[in-house]
Amino acid sequence: MAETLFNKVWNAHRVRTLASGQTQLFIGLHLVHEVTSPQAFDMLRQQGLPVAFPERTVATIDHIVPTSSQKRPFLDMMAEEMTVALERNCRDFGIRLYLPDSDEQGIVHVIGPQLGLTQPGLTIACGDSHTSTHGAFGAIAMGIGTSQVRDVLASQCLAVEPLKVRRIDVNGQLRPGVFAKDVILTIIRRLGVQGGVGYAYEYGGSTLDRMTMDERMTICNMSIEGGARAGYVNPDDTTFAYLKGRKFAPSGAAWDKAVAWWRSIASDRDASYDDRVTLDAASIEPTVTWGINPGQAIGVTESIPADADAEALAYMGFTAKAPIRGTKIDVAFIGSCTNGRLSDIEEAARIVRGHKVSSHVKALMVPGSRAVAREAEKRGLHQVFIDAGFEWRGAGCSMCLAMNPDKLEGRQVCASSSNRNFKGRQGSPTGRTLLMSPAMVAAAAIAGEVVDVRTMLEAVPA
Ligand code: SF4
């Protein structure tokens, strides 16, 4: 019978169906970071349990790591204490850890793929909502809470509700100046922030087929913002080319065997879905959020809806029917697990090169990992940002969640390439976030206000 990738991978990892109706699912890869793991490790100690599969568990430090100086001990005492705690936990339980002084450290959802740990057909869990990123490789990847982190550490299993599958096809050619971030913001705008509850999203269509792995990761990363528990793309030659030669990817005969298995788990052509949605890529324009959730988004040439949510308008200090273009910004942030990869830095650099950041804007460029930073520096991209007046920072989550010194102050407005514009998300209880693509953030940094990046692209040689 024709099946979706979701069903094939789910069934291959099903241990049993629990009395609750949930599935006890074996987890192929457990990614751990410093924020959601300390209590989980404490619970293990209290119960005298080991980590069931330390070789399937990998840890990094990302949320709290300062990005201005990453010298140990960190000046931020809480960050230092949390780092020491994770070091101790990983040492005691035999888990591989990528510390800030390691060449491979970075945001958990950036380093997993980069190291080749993230592979098609895996089930992946991590104590962070944006674990859905890894679905770009054809994995079923889910964010979990601290008590589930404990469960996976202790048993390598998770009790989860089976999901329905919605196929989302995006077809056609994206127009210049329109990126994967605009696609996913448009999907969430159309289906709503609760539209994906109970679903896994399978993304496909000719636009997705042409996308790079970086772009597919941006799309899958924000599945959770549309309410979906997971989001994925079927593995194809683009996936395999990305993985080949990576540190933890199979090699030799094991590679050929793996590719054959990975091809076999892609959704069958005639698989049936619980729902289907289609979007025309050419109809998508650079997209900006105006409100307090990622679904409150509009094209940059549009105005805030006449029936805009009153709470969002009051928080943002915006008016219904007003244009988003021309909104003055105070901070520009390029980074995060959504858009902190090399291709994001390259796209932003195309806009920034030869320009200066507006005098009233503080601009941060924060690579998603040390490897991304190294590669960008090798290409001289860091100098493009520094010359323009950006601060070129060390790898980490930075201002995405602001659990580190990178925070908005007061009512500041931030043009951000991250994934959440919730109230207070970027460190100030009254701070305001406008989500957009890295190129749009770069354009806003230079103009000092929200602009249509396409007007600047006309001046940039291809
Ligand atoms: S960049 Fe943001 S969303 Fe991604 S892992 Fe860090 S805090 Fe979470």
Side-chain angles (χ1 to χ4, degrees):
M1 202 179 99
E3 280 191 297
T4 60
L5 176 144
F6 180 85
N7 286 335
K8 293 183 200 182
V9 175
W10 191 271
N11 291 334
H13 291 82
R14 180 202 302 274
V15 177
R16 62 186 166 134
T17 301
L18 301 169
S20 61
Q22 293 174 303
T23 301
Q24 183 183 355
L25 199 67
F26 185 79
I27 299 300
L29 174 66
H30 186 197
L31 298 166
V32 171
H33 63 85
E34 73 282 12
V35 176
T36 48
S37 66
Q39 287 166 302
F41 281 114
D42 285 349
M43 289 187 261
L44 244 58
R45 279 199 184 88
Q46 282 158 17
Q47 293 170 40
L49 294 170
V51 169
F53 286 81
E55 71 280 15
R56 290 185 175 274
T57 313
V58 176
T60 188
I61 307 262
D62 51 11
H63 286 63
I64 51 92
V65 69
T67 62
S68 47
S69 164
Q70 300 188 327
K71 274 216 186 93
R72 300 282 304 278
F74 296 140
L75 289 176
D76 176 349
M77 280 315 295
M78 196 164 79
E80 182 59 27
E81 279 168 22
M82 289 175 84
T83 305
V84 169
L86 188 61
E87 282 177 300
R88 183 167 71 95
N89 288 331
C90 288
R91 198 173 47 241
D92 290 356
F93 289 95
I95 294 169
R96 184 190 300 272
L97 167 65
Y98 292 104
L99 283 168
D101 59 0
S102 142
D103 279 353
E104 308 289 7
Q105 177 265 345
I107 304 174
V108 64
H109 310 312
V110 177
I111 69 164
Q114 190 175 279
L115 289 165
L117 288 162
T118 303
Q119 295 174 15
L122 278 178
T123 46
I124 301 178
C126 174
D128 183 274
S129 309
H130 296 85
T131 306
S132 54
T133 311
H134 305 265
F137 291 78
I140 302 300
M142 294 176 285
I144 55 176
T146 293
S147 58
Q148 292 173 308
V149 172
R150 172 205 58 196
D151 295 348
V152 180
L153 287 173
S155 68
Q156 203 63 27
C157 290
L158 200 54
V160 260
E161 310 287 345
L163 300 172
K164 292 185 282 187
V165 184
R166 173 176 288 141
R167 167 83 182 192
I168 301 176
D169 280 291
V170 188
N171 292 316
Q173 192 78 41
L174 291 173
R175 293 183 297 179
V178 180
F179 300 92
K181 181 62 156 287
D182 304 304
V183 174
I184 189 62
L185 284 173
T186 302
I187 290 171
I188 299 168
R189 174 189 181 184
R190 176 157 157 197
L191 299 177
V193 291
Q194 296 292 320
V197 172
Y199 280 96
Y201 281 176
E202 177 180 303
Y203 303 100
S206 62
T207 312
L208 267 289
D209 289 348
R210 272 194 303 273
M211 279 187 177
T212 64
M213 292 312 296
D214 281 10
E215 293 172 305
R216 293 178 187 180
M217 282 189 257
T218 298
I219 300 270
C220 290
N221 173 277
M222 290 190 69
S223 304
I224 188 75
E225 303 307 333
R229 187 81 203 269
Y232 66 88
V233 178
N234 284 303
D236 61 8
D237 288 342
T238 304
T239 321
F240 311 145
Y242 177 100
L243 284 171
K244 195 161 177 69
R246 300 215 173 239
K247 189 169 178 181
F248 292 100
S251 58
W255 169 260
D256 295 336
K257 207 170 147 198
V259 170
W261 149 245
W262 294 341
R263 282 194 201 284
S264 76
I265 50 127
S267 293
D268 297 317
R269 205 177 288 273
D270 48 350
S272 63
Y273 296 88
D274 298 289
D275 190 29
R276 294 194 81 127
V277 173
T278 303
L279 270 86
D280 171 19
S283 70
I284 300 172
E285 66 169 341
T287 301
V288 182
T289 59
W290 56 265
I292 52 174
N293 72 51
Q296 292 171 333
I298 48 177
V300 68
T301 61
E302 292 180 78
S303 297
I304 296 171
D307 61 349
D309 171 59
E311 182 191 357
L313 287 180
Y315 182 83
M316 296 300 288
F318 293 164
T319 318
K321 296 196 267 186
I324 196 71
R325 221 169 7 175
T327 304
K328 197 174 162 212
I329 66 155
D330 306 294
V331 177
F333 168 61
I334 302 177
S336 85
C337 59
T338 315
N339 281 125
R341 297 184 176 79
L342 187 63
S343 56
D344 300 312
I345 298 175
E346 286 174 328
E347 285 301 342
R350 283 184 72 209
I351 304 299
V352 164
R353 194 182 293 276
H355 293 282
K356 291 281 179 212
V357 168
S358 180
S359 57
H360 68 271
V361 173
K362 176 187 171 80
L364 299 185
M365 175 61 245
V366 188
S369 71
R370 285 171 82 99
V372 167
R374 256 196 325 276
E375 192 52 40
E377 286 167 12
K378 211 163 86 189
R379 298 177 190 201
L381 297 176
H382 64 308
Q383 207 53 53
V384 173
F385 288 97
I386 292 166
D387 290 349
F390 270 78
E391 295 176 33
W392 179 262
R393 295 292 189 86
C397 294
S398 183
M399 210 178 259
C400 172
L401 180 59
M403 289 187 83
N404 53 72
D406 303 341
K407 296 181 196 301
L408 293 185
E409 291 170 14
R411 295 270 290 151
Q412 280 184 324
V413 174
C414 180
S416 178
S417 74
S418 56
N419 45 51
R420 280 190 170 160
N421 53 343
F422 299 166
K423 290 179 179 177
R425 168 76 177 182
Q426 292 192 285
S428 160
T430 52
R432 294 170 287 172
T433 304
L434 307 179
L435 300 176
M436 58 189 85
S437 72
M440 281 284 286
V441 177
I446 291 156
E449 61 185 36
V450 175
V451 290
D452 186 341
V453 68
R454 293 172 294 189
T455 60
M456 296 184 70
L457 273 180
E458 283 158 16
V460 177

